[in-house]
Amino acid sequence: MEKVLVIGAARSGIAVTRLLCKMGYEVYLTDQKEIAQKEQIQALGVHVFDQGHPDELKEIPYAFVVKNPGIPYRAAFVHYFVKKQVPIYTEIEIAYRYAKNFSYAAVTGTDGKTTVTTLLYEMLKTEKNALVAGNIGIPLSELALEYNQKDYAVALELSNFQLLGIESFAPSVCVVTNLAPDHLDYMDSLEDYYQSKMKIYENCKPDAWFIRNVDDEEIRKYAKNIPCEVIDFSLTRQDVALHRDEKYAYLNDTILFKLDDLKIVGGFNCGNAMMAACMAYRMGVSVESIQKVISSFKGVEHRIEYVDTIKGVRIYNDSKATNTHAACAALSAFDQNVILLCGGKDKHISFEDLKQYDQKIKHCFSFGQTKDHFKEIFTHQTSCETMEEALHKAYDTASKGDVILLSPACSSFDQFKNFEVRGEIFKELVEQLKEKEN
């Protein structure tokens, strides 16, 4: 029986451990922290080591290692296996090998991944047995174990961390939404980050589709040696397959949807919708079903999510904007009088691109680890310790017709567990503010 090592016992680590047992491997599971489900996992015959990685684990001959995507390859314990040239995968690769009844529409990129994936899933499930998985929060391995009776179309969101750990994964259709600096605290270089995104199509069969965003200079530069059919996409050109005019979005001569039917704001969201529609079409969803979903889809939680209007001040939660590029996209969706709340963990990325929106920013209240980084970016800026303090100062500053926008441009890990928790707390604070005013 071949031995495998799973490093990291978060939700995806537990799921892939169970899947590997089902596949007949002898599994070793290790985590730096205490593993809550330790006894249950041991009952499956798994060798469990928590609260650290003992040296004895290094002496076992593994067929391969499966690691949590968030653990850097430079981490000492992982790097030991890198140096020994033991194959290192993420759970996506293992689930792909197991779930032969799944077909995939895979989405990666710096921004827009979750919107495209969620919209795509809504389209798929109108006509197919459909699942949604990956970086969106649901381990693919978990679904592979549960849904093995029928064929399923899977809308799969992939981070570059997950893509670094694939070897044979091959989707039917895939896209890199865009590229912008991110995760420079994890990757060795920006070039490595961009290049990692291109792994999404490297195993595609000739009849698969790769949607290439030709509006993005970096994608044009890095998307090379594509082994499948290329569908070029643009919001500004009409000489490509996936394009728009004043009224409609098209795939070649086929009308995918009417632009006025789109409920989510911003030109970039039109692009997200066009990518999702094209992917659904490739997966066999009818134009009628695509159009029905387009007209009813109201967006993704924590992504320019309308929260409330208090005394004429509209408030939006864009907690998912964990980098500069995403924050720029949010700011582009509004005209004037934006009171921006931003800041968080320092990912060592530049905020310079935000300067182009200085004229729109009535005031910036920045908070967290990077609170002072915005002093040179915006003319009107105040540093705060917490998001709550920033919100209250923003509301005190706001007048009827203004917009308060939480779009942090940073990850949440200095003060919050994740961007979802940050967004939920923000919405609770807004609700408290409303109750106080009433």
Side-chain angles (χ1 to χ4, degrees), residues 159-199:
S159 69
N160 74 300
F161 305 155
Q162 290 168 316
L163 286 166
L164 287 167
I166 66 168
E167 184 177 78
S168 61
F169 172 75
S172 299
V173 58
C174 57
V175 67
V176 179
T177 56
N178 51 50
L179 290 174
D182 202 359
H183 299 304
L184 300 186
D185 53 343
Y186 183 106
M187 302 297 295
D188 290 334
S189 69
L190 185 58
E191 183 172 316
D192 285 345
Y193 168 63
Y194 288 165
Q195 197 61 57
S196 68
K197 293 289 191 182
M198 302 307 145
K199 287 178 69 67

mmCIF file of all heavy atoms in Angstrom, residues 159-199:
data_model
loop_
_atom_site.group_PDB
_atom_site.id
_atom_site.type_symbol
_atom_site.label_atom_id
_atom_site.label_comp_id
_atom_site.label_asym_id
_atom_site.label_seq_id
_atom_site.Cartn_x
_atom_site.Cartn_y
_atom_site.Cartn_z
ATOM 1 N N SER A 159 -7.345 29.319 -6.997
ATOM 2 C CA SER A 159 -6.298 30.281 -6.683
ATOM 3 C C SER A 159 -4.999 29.826 -7.325
ATOM 4 O O SER A 159 -4.859 28.661 -7.723
ATOM 5 C CB SER A 159 -6.107 30.384 -5.168
ATOM 6 O OG SER A 159 -5.543 29.175 -4.673
ATOM 7 N N ASN A 160 -4.036 30.717 -7.403
ATOM 8 C CA ASN A 160 -2.752 30.284 -7.949
ATOM 9 C C ASN A 160 -2.088 29.275 -7.012
ATOM 10 O O ASN A 160 -1.351 28.389 -7.448
ATOM 11 C CB ASN A 160 -1.828 31.478 -8.212
ATOM 12 C CG ASN A 160 -1.250 32.076 -6.962
ATOM 13 O OD1 ASN A 160 -1.983 32.542 -6.089
ATOM 14 N ND2 ASN A 160 0.073 32.083 -6.855
ATOM 15 N N PHE A 161 -2.375 29.358 -5.701
ATOM 16 C CA PHE A 161 -1.837 28.378 -4.763
ATOM 17 C C PHE A 161 -2.312 26.977 -5.130
ATOM 18 O O PHE A 161 -1.550 26.009 -5.069
ATOM 19 C CB PHE A 161 -2.296 28.681 -3.331
ATOM 20 C CG PHE A 161 -1.981 30.069 -2.838
ATOM 21 C CD1 PHE A 161 -2.749 30.643 -1.846
ATOM 22 C CD2 PHE A 161 -0.925 30.801 -3.353
ATOM 23 C CE1 PHE A 161 -2.472 31.916 -1.366
ATOM 24 C CE2 PHE A 161 -0.642 32.077 -2.890
ATOM 25 C CZ PHE A 161 -1.419 32.641 -1.893
ATOM 26 N N GLN A 162 -3.585 26.865 -5.476
ATOM 27 C CA GLN A 162 -4.142 25.563 -5.864
ATOM 28 C C GLN A 162 -3.576 25.092 -7.195
ATOM 29 O O GLN A 162 -3.283 23.907 -7.388
ATOM 30 C CB GLN A 162 -5.665 25.650 -5.929
ATOM 31 C CG GLN A 162 -6.308 25.810 -4.557
ATOM 32 C CD GLN A 162 -7.776 26.175 -4.638
ATOM 33 O OE1 GLN A 162 -8.175 27.025 -5.432
ATOM 34 N NE2 GLN A 162 -8.588 25.568 -3.800
ATOM 35 N N LEU A 163 -3.387 26.017 -8.118
ATOM 36 C CA LEU A 163 -2.862 25.659 -9.435
ATOM 37 C C LEU A 163 -1.415 25.170 -9.370
ATOM 38 O O LEU A 163 -0.999 24.333 -10.176
ATOM 39 C CB LEU A 163 -2.970 26.851 -10.387
ATOM 40 C CG LEU A 163 -4.385 27.148 -10.886
ATOM 41 C CD1 LEU A 163 -4.444 28.531 -11.534
ATOM 42 C CD2 LEU A 163 -4.839 26.088 -11.893
ATOM 43 N N LEU A 164 -0.655 25.680 -8.424
ATOM 44 C CA LEU A 164 0.730 25.236 -8.278
ATOM 45 C C LEU A 164 0.806 23.746 -7.960
ATOM 46 O O LEU A 164 1.822 23.109 -8.220
ATOM 47 C CB LEU A 164 1.433 26.037 -7.178
ATOM 48 C CG LEU A 164 1.792 27.483 -7.522
ATOM 49 C CD1 LEU A 164 2.181 28.254 -6.263
ATOM 50 C CD2 LEU A 164 2.908 27.543 -8.554
ATOM 51 N N GLY A 165 -0.274 23.185 -7.418
ATOM 52 C CA GLY A 165 -0.257 21.788 -7.008
ATOM 53 C C GLY A 165 -1.017 20.848 -7.926
ATOM 54 O O GLY A 165 -1.494 19.802 -7.490
ATOM 55 N N ILE A 166 -1.171 21.215 -9.209
ATOM 56 C CA ILE A 166 -1.818 20.287 -10.142
ATOM 57 C C ILE A 166 -0.780 19.655 -11.060
ATOM 58 O O ILE A 166 0.289 20.205 -11.303
ATOM 59 C CB ILE A 166 -2.921 20.966 -10.986
ATOM 60 C CG1 ILE A 166 -2.336 22.016 -11.935
ATOM 61 C CG2 ILE A 166 -3.988 21.570 -10.090
ATOM 62 C CD1 ILE A 166 -3.311 22.500 -12.986
ATOM 63 N N GLU A 167 -1.138 18.486 -11.582
ATOM 64 C CA GLU A 167 -0.262 17.792 -12.526
ATOM 65 C C GLU A 167 -1.007 17.339 -13.765
ATOM 66 O O GLU A 167 -0.510 17.449 -14.878
ATOM 67 C CB GLU A 167 0.387 16.580 -11.852
ATOM 68 C CG GLU A 167 1.395 15.839 -12.726
ATOM 69 C CD GLU A 167 2.041 14.699 -11.993
ATOM 70 O OE1 GLU A 167 1.403 13.633 -11.856
ATOM 71 O OE2 GLU A 167 3.191 14.867 -11.538
ATOM 72 N N SER A 168 -2.253 16.838 -13.584
ATOM 73 C CA SER A 168 -3.013 16.323 -14.726
ATOM 74 C C SER A 168 -4.372 16.987 -14.896
ATOM 75 O O SER A 168 -5.062 16.720 -15.883
ATOM 76 C CB SER A 168 -3.214 14.808 -14.578
ATOM 77 O OG SER A 168 -3.946 14.512 -13.387
ATOM 78 N N PHE A 169 -4.770 17.851 -13.968
ATOM 79 C CA PHE A 169 -6.088 18.497 -14.013
ATOM 80 C C PHE A 169 -6.324 19.165 -15.368
ATOM 81 O O PHE A 169 -5.512 19.963 -15.838
ATOM 82 C CB PHE A 169 -6.204 19.539 -12.902
ATOM 83 C CG PHE A 169 -7.451 20.383 -12.994
ATOM 84 C CD1 PHE A 169 -8.675 19.860 -12.633
ATOM 85 C CD2 PHE A 169 -7.389 21.686 -13.480
ATOM 86 C CE1 PHE A 169 -9.826 20.642 -12.730
ATOM 87 C CE2 PHE A 169 -8.532 22.458 -13.579
ATOM 88 C CZ PHE A 169 -9.751 21.933 -13.207
ATOM 89 N N ALA A 170 -7.473 18.840 -15.996
ATOM 90 C CA ALA A 170 -7.775 19.348 -17.338
ATOM 91 C C ALA A 170 -9.249 19.744 -17.430
ATOM 92 O O ALA A 170 -10.124 18.875 -17.513
ATOM 93 C CB ALA A 170 -7.450 18.285 -18.388
ATOM 94 N N PRO A 171 -9.567 21.036 -17.417
ATOM 95 C CA PRO A 171 -10.959 21.475 -17.534
ATOM 96 C C PRO A 171 -11.451 21.456 -18.980
ATOM 97 O O PRO A 171 -10.651 21.447 -19.923
ATOM 98 C CB PRO A 171 -10.909 22.907 -17.000
ATOM 99 C CG PRO A 171 -9.512 23.374 -17.311
ATOM 100 C CD PRO A 171 -8.639 22.160 -17.205
ATOM 101 N N SER A 172 -12.767 21.501 -19.142
ATOM 102 C CA SER A 172 -13.370 21.586 -20.479
ATOM 103 C C SER A 172 -13.337 23.012 -21.005
ATOM 104 O O SER A 172 -13.251 23.243 -22.209
ATOM 105 C CB SER A 172 -14.826 21.101 -20.436
ATOM 106 O OG SER A 172 -14.888 19.759 -20.029
ATOM 107 N N VAL A 173 -13.422 23.967 -20.088
ATOM 108 C CA VAL A 173 -13.334 25.381 -20.442
ATOM 109 C C VAL A 173 -12.714 26.094 -19.245
ATOM 110 O O VAL A 173 -12.952 25.725 -18.092
ATOM 111 C CB VAL A 173 -14.717 25.979 -20.802
ATOM 112 C CG1 VAL A 173 -15.715 25.828 -19.661
ATOM 113 C CG2 VAL A 173 -14.605 27.434 -21.244
ATOM 114 N N CYS A 174 -11.877 27.088 -19.516
ATOM 115 C CA CYS A 174 -11.219 27.788 -18.410
ATOM 116 C C CYS A 174 -10.942 29.236 -18.789
ATOM 117 O O CYS A 174 -10.961 29.603 -19.969
ATOM 118 C CB CYS A 174 -9.925 27.081 -17.996
ATOM 119 S SG CYS A 174 -8.708 26.881 -19.314
ATOM 120 N N VAL A 175 -10.669 30.047 -17.777
ATOM 121 C CA VAL A 175 -10.408 31.463 -18.000
ATOM 122 C C VAL A 175 -9.464 31.983 -16.935
ATOM 123 O O VAL A 175 -9.483 31.522 -15.787
ATOM 124 C CB VAL A 175 -11.727 32.276 -17.994
ATOM 125 C CG1 VAL A 175 -12.365 32.281 -16.604
ATOM 126 C CG2 VAL A 175 -11.513 33.710 -18.471
ATOM 127 N N VAL A 176 -8.617 32.927 -17.321
ATOM 128 C CA VAL A 176 -7.881 33.775 -16.392
ATOM 129 C C VAL A 176 -8.537 35.144 -16.524
ATOM 130 O O VAL A 176 -8.410 35.804 -17.562
ATOM 131 C CB VAL A 176 -6.373 33.851 -16.729
ATOM 132 C CG1 VAL A 176 -5.652 34.775 -15.748
ATOM 133 C CG2 VAL A 176 -5.749 32.466 -16.722
ATOM 134 N N THR A 177 -9.259 35.577 -15.500
ATOM 135 C CA THR A 177 -10.079 36.788 -15.624
ATOM 136 C C THR A 177 -9.222 38.025 -15.888
ATOM 137 O O THR A 177 -9.559 38.867 -16.722
ATOM 138 C CB THR A 177 -10.912 37.015 -14.351
ATOM 139 O OG1 THR A 177 -10.022 37.070 -13.214
ATOM 140 C CG2 THR A 177 -11.928 35.895 -14.155
ATOM 141 N N ASN A 178 -8.126 38.163 -15.153
ATOM 142 C CA ASN A 178 -7.222 39.308 -15.275
ATOM 143 C C ASN A 178 -5.970 39.005 -14.461
ATOM 144 O O ASN A 178 -5.923 38.017 -13.719
ATOM 145 C CB ASN A 178 -7.884 40.606 -14.784
ATOM 146 C CG ASN A 178 -8.490 40.442 -13.401
ATOM 147 O OD1 ASN A 178 -7.851 39.961 -12.477
ATOM 148 N ND2 ASN A 178 -9.747 40.828 -13.249
ATOM 149 N N LEU A 179 -4.983 39.865 -14.581
ATOM 150 C CA LEU A 179 -3.759 39.722 -13.794
ATOM 151 C C LEU A 179 -3.358 41.077 -13.224
ATOM 152 O O LEU A 179 -3.333 42.071 -13.949
ATOM 153 C CB LEU A 179 -2.610 39.173 -14.656
ATOM 154 C CG LEU A 179 -2.703 37.721 -15.117
ATOM 155 C CD1 LEU A 179 -1.565 37.398 -16.070
ATOM 156 C CD2 LEU A 179 -2.704 36.756 -13.941
ATOM 157 N N ALA A 180 -3.046 41.089 -11.936
ATOM 158 C CA ALA A 180 -2.550 42.290 -11.262
ATOM 159 C C ALA A 180 -1.713 41.829 -10.081
ATOM 160 O O ALA A 180 -1.870 40.702 -9.606
ATOM 161 C CB ALA A 180 -3.710 43.170 -10.800
ATOM 162 N N PRO A 181 -0.808 42.662 -9.599
ATOM 163 C CA PRO A 181 0.063 42.250 -8.491
ATOM 164 C C PRO A 181 -0.734 41.792 -7.267
ATOM 165 O O PRO A 181 -1.659 42.453 -6.830
ATOM 166 C CB PRO A 181 0.857 43.523 -8.180
ATOM 167 C CG PRO A 181 0.885 44.264 -9.474
ATOM 168 C CD PRO A 181 -0.457 44.009 -10.098
ATOM 169 N N ASP A 182 -0.345 40.632 -6.729
ATOM 170 C CA ASP A 182 -0.990 40.084 -5.540
ATOM 171 C C ASP A 182 -0.109 38.966 -4.987
ATOM 172 O O ASP A 182 0.738 38.423 -5.694
ATOM 173 C CB ASP A 182 -2.385 39.544 -5.873
ATOM 174 C CG ASP A 182 -3.298 39.454 -4.659
ATOM 175 O OD1 ASP A 182 -2.850 39.802 -3.554
ATOM 176 O OD2 ASP A 182 -4.455 39.028 -4.816
ATOM 177 N N HIS A 183 -0.327 38.623 -3.739
ATOM 178 C CA HIS A 183 0.340 37.486 -3.085
ATOM 179 C C HIS A 183 1.861 37.548 -3.168
ATOM 180 O O HIS A 183 2.530 36.503 -3.226
ATOM 181 C CB HIS A 183 -0.171 36.167 -3.680
ATOM 182 C CG HIS A 183 -1.644 35.967 -3.498
ATOM 183 N ND1 HIS A 183 -2.248 35.989 -2.258
ATOM 184 C CD2 HIS A 183 -2.642 35.785 -4.405
ATOM 185 C CE1 HIS A 183 -3.561 35.814 -2.411
ATOM 186 N NE2 HIS A 183 -3.816 35.690 -3.690
ATOM 187 N N LEU A 184 2.414 38.747 -3.149
ATOM 188 C CA LEU A 184 3.873 38.860 -3.207
ATOM 189 C C LEU A 184 4.507 38.503 -1.865
ATOM 190 O O LEU A 184 5.728 38.396 -1.761
ATOM 191 C CB LEU A 184 4.280 40.271 -3.644
ATOM 192 C CG LEU A 184 3.764 40.683 -5.034
ATOM 193 C CD1 LEU A 184 4.345 42.031 -5.441
ATOM 194 C CD2 LEU A 184 4.088 39.637 -6.084
ATOM 195 N N ASP A 185 3.667 38.285 -0.848
ATOM 196 C CA ASP A 185 4.165 37.771 0.425
ATOM 197 C C ASP A 185 4.310 36.252 0.389
ATOM 198 O O ASP A 185 4.886 35.651 1.296
ATOM 199 C CB ASP A 185 3.230 38.173 1.572
ATOM 200 C CG ASP A 185 1.769 37.789 1.329
ATOM 201 O OD1 ASP A 185 1.406 37.506 0.168
ATOM 202 O OD2 ASP A 185 0.994 37.773 2.295
ATOM 203 N N TYR A 186 3.821 35.622 -0.665
ATOM 204 C CA TYR A 186 3.835 34.155 -0.804
ATOM 205 C C TYR A 186 4.732 33.720 -1.952
ATOM 206 O O TYR A 186 5.517 32.790 -1.826
ATOM 207 C CB TYR A 186 2.394 33.675 -1.044
ATOM 208 C CG TYR A 186 2.198 32.173 -1.151
ATOM 209 C CD1 TYR A 186 1.603 31.465 -0.107
ATOM 210 C CD2 TYR A 186 2.549 31.473 -2.295
ATOM 211 C CE1 TYR A 186 1.380 30.098 -0.215
ATOM 212 C CE2 TYR A 186 2.344 30.110 -2.405
ATOM 213 C CZ TYR A 186 1.755 29.423 -1.366
ATOM 214 O OH TYR A 186 1.538 28.071 -1.477
ATOM 215 N N MET A 187 4.607 34.425 -3.079
ATOM 216 C CA MET A 187 5.350 34.047 -4.282
ATOM 217 C C MET A 187 6.748 34.681 -4.284
ATOM 218 O O MET A 187 6.970 35.734 -3.690
ATOM 219 C CB MET A 187 4.586 34.491 -5.537
ATOM 220 C CG MET A 187 3.188 33.912 -5.646
ATOM 221 S SD MET A 187 3.155 32.103 -5.779
ATOM 222 C CE MET A 187 3.961 31.857 -7.369
ATOM 223 N N ASP A 188 7.674 34.037 -4.998
ATOM 224 C CA ASP A 188 9.040 34.560 -5.073
ATOM 225 C C ASP A 188 9.129 35.830 -5.909
ATOM 226 O O ASP A 188 9.991 36.674 -5.684
ATOM 227 C CB ASP A 188 9.986 33.491 -5.660
ATOM 228 C CG ASP A 188 10.200 32.345 -4.682
ATOM 229 O OD1 ASP A 188 10.067 32.574 -3.462
ATOM 230 O OD2 ASP A 188 10.485 31.223 -5.131
ATOM 231 N N SER A 189 8.233 35.963 -6.909
ATOM 232 C CA SER A 189 8.259 37.140 -7.764
ATOM 233 C C SER A 189 6.900 37.332 -8.407
ATOM 234 O O SER A 189 6.069 36.412 -8.441
ATOM 235 C CB SER A 189 9.324 36.986 -8.865
ATOM 236 O OG SER A 189 8.930 35.974 -9.795
ATOM 237 N N LEU A 190 6.677 38.534 -8.948
ATOM 238 C CA LEU A 190 5.433 38.810 -9.666
ATOM 239 C C LEU A 190 5.330 37.928 -10.903
ATOM 240 O O LEU A 190 4.251 37.423 -11.237
ATOM 241 C CB LEU A 190 5.396 40.295 -10.061
ATOM 242 C CG LEU A 190 4.116 40.790 -10.725
ATOM 243 C CD1 LEU A 190 2.903 40.569 -9.829
ATOM 244 C CD2 LEU A 190 4.244 42.271 -11.088
ATOM 245 N N GLU A 191 6.441 37.717 -11.580
ATOM 246 C CA GLU A 191 6.438 36.848 -12.761
ATOM 247 C C GLU A 191 6.012 35.425 -12.397
ATOM 248 O O GLU A 191 5.239 34.800 -13.129
ATOM 249 C CB GLU A 191 7.845 36.826 -13.386
ATOM 250 C CG GLU A 191 7.906 35.994 -14.654
ATOM 251 C CD GLU A 191 9.241 36.140 -15.371
ATOM 252 O OE1 GLU A 191 9.736 37.273 -15.485
ATOM 253 O OE2 GLU A 191 9.769 35.111 -15.812
ATOM 254 N N ASP A 192 6.489 34.922 -11.272
ATOM 255 C CA ASP A 192 6.086 33.580 -10.830
ATOM 256 C C ASP A 192 4.591 33.528 -10.555
ATOM 257 O O ASP A 192 3.918 32.535 -10.851
ATOM 258 C CB ASP A 192 6.850 33.182 -9.565
ATOM 259 C CG ASP A 192 8.294 32.814 -9.843
ATOM 260 O OD1 ASP A 192 8.642 32.584 -11.021
ATOM 261 O OD2 ASP A 192 9.083 32.760 -8.880
ATOM 262 N N TYR A 193 4.059 34.602 -9.965
ATOM 263 C CA TYR A 193 2.625 34.658 -9.678
ATOM 264 C C TYR A 193 1.818 34.614 -10.973
ATOM 265 O O TYR A 193 0.881 33.824 -11.119
ATOM 266 C CB TYR A 193 2.304 35.921 -8.882
ATOM 267 C CG TYR A 193 0.825 36.226 -8.765
ATOM 268 C CD1 TYR A 193 -0.041 35.349 -8.117
ATOM 269 C CD2 TYR A 193 0.290 37.394 -9.315
ATOM 270 C CE1 TYR A 193 -1.392 35.626 -8.012
ATOM 271 C CE2 TYR A 193 -1.055 37.676 -9.209
ATOM 272 C CZ TYR A 193 -1.893 36.793 -8.561
ATOM 273 O OH TYR A 193 -3.240 37.054 -8.469
ATOM 274 N N TYR A 194 2.183 35.456 -11.930
ATOM 275 C CA TYR A 194 1.467 35.472 -13.204
ATOM 276 C C TYR A 194 1.590 34.130 -13.931
ATOM 277 O O TYR A 194 0.614 33.614 -14.481
ATOM 278 C CB TYR A 194 2.004 36.591 -14.100
ATOM 279 C CG TYR A 194 1.622 37.987 -13.657
ATOM 280 C CD1 TYR A 194 2.274 39.099 -14.181
ATOM 281 C CD2 TYR A 194 0.613 38.206 -12.721
ATOM 282 C CE1 TYR A 194 1.934 40.399 -13.790
ATOM 283 C CE2 TYR A 194 0.269 39.489 -12.322
ATOM 284 C CZ TYR A 194 0.938 40.583 -12.861
ATOM 285 O OH TYR A 194 0.593 41.844 -12.466
ATOM 286 N N GLN A 195 2.779 33.567 -13.928
ATOM 287 C CA GLN A 195 3.010 32.314 -14.643
ATOM 288 C C GLN A 195 2.199 31.171 -14.017
ATOM 289 O O GLN A 195 1.697 30.291 -14.737
ATOM 290 C CB GLN A 195 4.503 31.962 -14.621
ATOM 291 C CG GLN A 195 4.914 30.930 -15.667
ATOM 292 C CD GLN A 195 4.653 31.410 -17.093
ATOM 293 O OE1 GLN A 195 5.147 32.446 -17.510
ATOM 294 N NE2 GLN A 195 3.869 30.638 -17.834
ATOM 295 N N SER A 196 2.050 31.211 -12.700
ATOM 296 C CA SER A 196 1.305 30.135 -12.032
ATOM 297 C C SER A 196 -0.146 30.086 -12.490
ATOM 298 O O SER A 196 -0.758 29.012 -12.544
ATOM 299 C CB SER A 196 1.370 30.315 -10.511
ATOM 300 O OG SER A 196 0.655 31.475 -10.093
ATOM 301 N N LYS A 197 -0.711 31.234 -12.839
ATOM 302 C CA LYS A 197 -2.101 31.271 -13.292
ATOM 303 C C LYS A 197 -2.286 30.523 -14.616
ATOM 304 O O LYS A 197 -3.373 29.999 -14.903
ATOM 305 C CB LYS A 197 -2.559 32.723 -13.462
ATOM 306 C CG LYS A 197 -2.655 33.520 -12.168
ATOM 307 C CD LYS A 197 -3.813 33.056 -11.316
ATOM 308 C CE LYS A 197 -4.080 34.002 -10.159
ATOM 309 N NZ LYS A 197 -5.181 33.526 -9.298
ATOM 310 N N MET A 198 -1.234 30.470 -15.419
ATOM 311 C CA MET A 198 -1.337 29.848 -16.744
ATOM 312 C C MET A 198 -1.362 28.317 -16.685
ATOM 313 O O MET A 198 -1.618 27.670 -17.697
ATOM 314 C CB MET A 198 -0.189 30.325 -17.640
ATOM 315 C CG MET A 198 -0.149 31.832 -17.816
ATOM 316 S SD MET A 198 -1.729 32.535 -18.368
ATOM 317 C CE MET A 198 -1.724 34.100 -17.504
ATOM 318 N N LYS A 199 -1.129 27.766 -15.504
ATOM 319 C CA LYS A 199 -1.222 26.310 -15.355
ATOM 320 C C LYS A 199 -2.649 25.820 -15.575
ATOM 321 O O LYS A 199 -2.873 24.637 -15.795
ATOM 322 C CB LYS A 199 -0.736 25.880 -13.972
ATOM 323 C CG LYS A 199 0.772 25.970 -13.792
ATOM 324 C CD LYS A 199 1.212 25.577 -12.398
ATOM 325 C CE LYS A 199 1.015 24.101 -12.116
ATOM 326 N NZ LYS A 199 1.883 23.213 -12.908
#
